[in-house]
Amino acid sequence: MRAARLIKMVLLLQSRPAMTAAELARELEVSERTVTRDAQALSEAGVPVYADRGRAGGYRLVGGYRTRLTGLHRGEAEALFLSGVPGALREMGLEDAASAARLKVSAALLPSLRDASRTAAQRFHLDAPNWFKEPKTPALLPAVADAVWDDRRIGARYRRGEDEVVRELEPYGLVLKAGVWYLCARVAGSASFRVYRIDRFTAVEADGERFEREPEFDLPAFWEERAEQFARSILRARVVVRLSPEGVRGLPHALDSLTAREALAEADGPDDDGWVTVDLPVESEEVAHTQLTALGPEVEVLAPESLRERFAGDALRLAGLYHSGTRHPRDGA
C-alpha cells in the first residue's frame, strides 16, 4: 500500500513544478505528517525530492528527474492502453501523436509488461457508431480538435435549419455520441455554454487568440446534464396507455428507457387483468404511434382519442390482412 502511494507521489511531483504538503495530502488521502515521512523515505531511497520552506514553499523534484514506469502492475498497464479510442483519435487527426505516445510508454515499461498494448487490444474494442449507419467524419473536425487542444478561439459558420449563423466560440471539449461529433463551447463574451454538431459547421477558422478556461468546467458532467435536458425538452405531448405485463417489460425498449422507467414508477398497481395504466411523456403523437406500435397487442392507447383511433385503424387493417382467407401472391409466384 505504501509503495503504491510513494510511486503516486513521485508521479504527481513529475507532473507539476511543485506541490505543497497540503496538496499532496489531499491527492494521496493521507495526513501532512505522512507526506513528510514519505518524502523523507523517497529521499533516502535516492529519489531527489527537495523541500522548499516558507509561505511559497512545497515539495519538488530536482530538475530533469524522471522515473521509469516500474510501479505499474499488468492490470494497470493494460488499462492504460484502453484509455484511447483509436477511431476517434484518427478522426481528430491525433493518430500519429497517440501512436508516438504509446511507443514512449511501452519503452518506459518493464520488459515483462511491454505486451500490454497487444493483450488489451485483443480483448476490448469500442465501436461507437450506431448499427446500419455509415459513419462520416466531419471535414472540419481536425481543425476544431486543434482549437480545443490549444484553447484557441474560433470563428465559425454554423448551419441552423435553412440559415447560417456566425459565432465566435471558445471551444471547451468534444463529445462523440453514437457516431456523431459534438462541440461543447462558450460563445465569446457570454457566460453560457452551448452544444454544436460538428457536421453542421460550414467554416471554422482559429483566430490565434487563446482564451482562459474556467477551471471548474467538467465536460462529462456538462454533457450528462445537457443530454438529459435535451431528452426531456423534446417530450412535449402526453399519452395514456394500458400495458400488459409483457408490455411493461417491453416499454423501456420501445421508448427512451429513463422516461419509460420513471413513468412506470409513478403508475398505480396493475388492475384485475394484470394490466398497468401509464401516463407517458412523448415527443409527439406521430412519434408515439411509431414507438408504441413495436409493443403490438401488449399496449392499448386510452388517450388522446386521435391516437387511439389510429391504432384502431391499424388493428382493422391487420385483421383484414390476416383474416381475409387469401394470401397476397408473391412476385414471380
Side-chain angles (χ1 to χ4, degrees):
M1 182 71 177
R2 190 189 186 198
R5 189 176 71 242
L6 293 175
I7 292 170
K8 184 176 180 180
M9 183 174 179
V10 173
L11 294 175
L12 284 169
L13 292 174
Q14 278 187 191
S15 65
R16 308 178 192 181
M19 295 184 70
T20 65
E23 290 171 335
L24 284 167
R26 186 166 55 252
E27 291 281 353
L28 300 172
E29 299 182 350
V30 296
S31 66
E32 292 186 32
R33 186 183 296 273
T34 298
V35 168
T36 301
R37 288 199 298 266
D38 286 353
Q40 181 65 31
L42 287 171
S43 181
E44 292 173 357
V47 178
V49 178
Y50 178 74
D52 287 327
R53 303 193 180 278
R55 293 182 60 186
Y59 291 94
R60 68 181 73 243
L61 293 174
V62 172
Y65 178 81
R66 288 290 182 271
T67 181
R68 292 173 63 86
L69 299 179
T70 54
L72 291 176
H73 59 67
R74 172 162 292 279
E76 292 171 334
E78 291 175 342
L80 180 65
F81 287 97
L82 287 174
S83 60
V85 183
L89 292 171
R90 181 172 58 251
E91 292 182 9
M92 288 189 291
L94 299 173
E95 185 177 28
D96 291 343
S99 177
R102 286 192 293 268
L103 286 173
K104 290 178 181 179
V105 171
S106 296
L109 289 171
L110 288 172
S112 61
L113 300 179
R114 287 179 185 166
D115 67 339
S117 62
R118 180 178 59 82
T119 58
Q122 288 173 341
R123 288 164 173 80
F124 300 99
H125 175 68
L126 175 63
D127 184 9
N130 282 329
W131 287 102
F132 315 119
K133 288 187 178 180
E134 185 69 25
K136 294 182 180 179
T137 302
L140 296 173
L141 177 61
V144 176
D146 285 344
V148 170
W149 279 112
D150 292 339
D151 295 339
R152 294 188 183 278
R153 291 183 178 178
I154 58 173
R157 297 184 66 86
Y158 187 76
R159 191 171 63 254
R160 179 180 292 172
E162 299 296 324
D163 302 321
E164 280 191 350
V165 296
V166 179
R167 293 285 186 269
E168 185 177 5
L169 301 175
E170 296 176 352
Y172 268 68
L174 290 167
V175 175
L176 177 60
K177 170 71 171 179
V180 179
W181 283 96
Y182 296 88
L183 173 67
C184 302
R186 182 168 61 182
V187 178
S190 169
S192 62
F193 289 88
R194 300 179 184 179
V195 176
Y196 301 86
R197 278 186 59 145
I198 301 295
D199 57 8
R200 293 180 182 170
F201 284 116
T202 58
V204 170
E205 184 176 355
D207 62 12
E209 183 179 351
R210 292 182 180 272
F211 64 92
E212 190 72 23
R213 295 178 69 93
E214 284 192 14
E216 302 301 319
F217 180 78
D218 184 331
L219 180 59
F222 170 79
W223 177 259
E224 182 179 4
E225 179 184 356
R226 285 303 175 91
E228 184 175 344
Q229 288 177 358
F230 173 76
R232 294 183 183 280
S233 70
I234 63 175
L235 303 179
R236 301 186 180 93
R238 304 194 77 86
V239 301
V240 180
V241 299
R242 286 180 73 238
L243 297 165
S244 70
E246 185 64 28
V248 169
R249 288 189 288 271
L251 188 66
H253 303 288
L255 279 68
D256 171 70
S257 60
L258 178 60
T259 301
R261 290 190 174 93
E262 288 181 349
L264 288 169
E266 295 176 0
D268 294 332
D271 58 22
D272 294 340
D273 297 325
W275 287 52
V276 176
T277 299
V278 183
D279 187 341
L280 287 173
V282 294
E283 185 174 346
S284 67
E285 185 174 316
E286 184 70 32
V287 172
H289 177 256
T290 301
Q291 293 173 328
L292 294 173
T293 296
L295 298 177
E298 309 305 327
V299 60
E300 177 190 3
V301 174
L302 302 180
E305 186 62 30
S306 56
L307 183 59
R308 181 178 174 85
E309 289 175 356
R310 292 186 67 172
F311 274 92
D314 291 344
L316 288 174
R317 290 178 61 196
L318 285 170
L321 288 173
Y322 286 97
H323 294 114
S324 63
T326 60
R327 291 175 178 265
H328 186 74
R330 293 183 180 180
D331 291 341

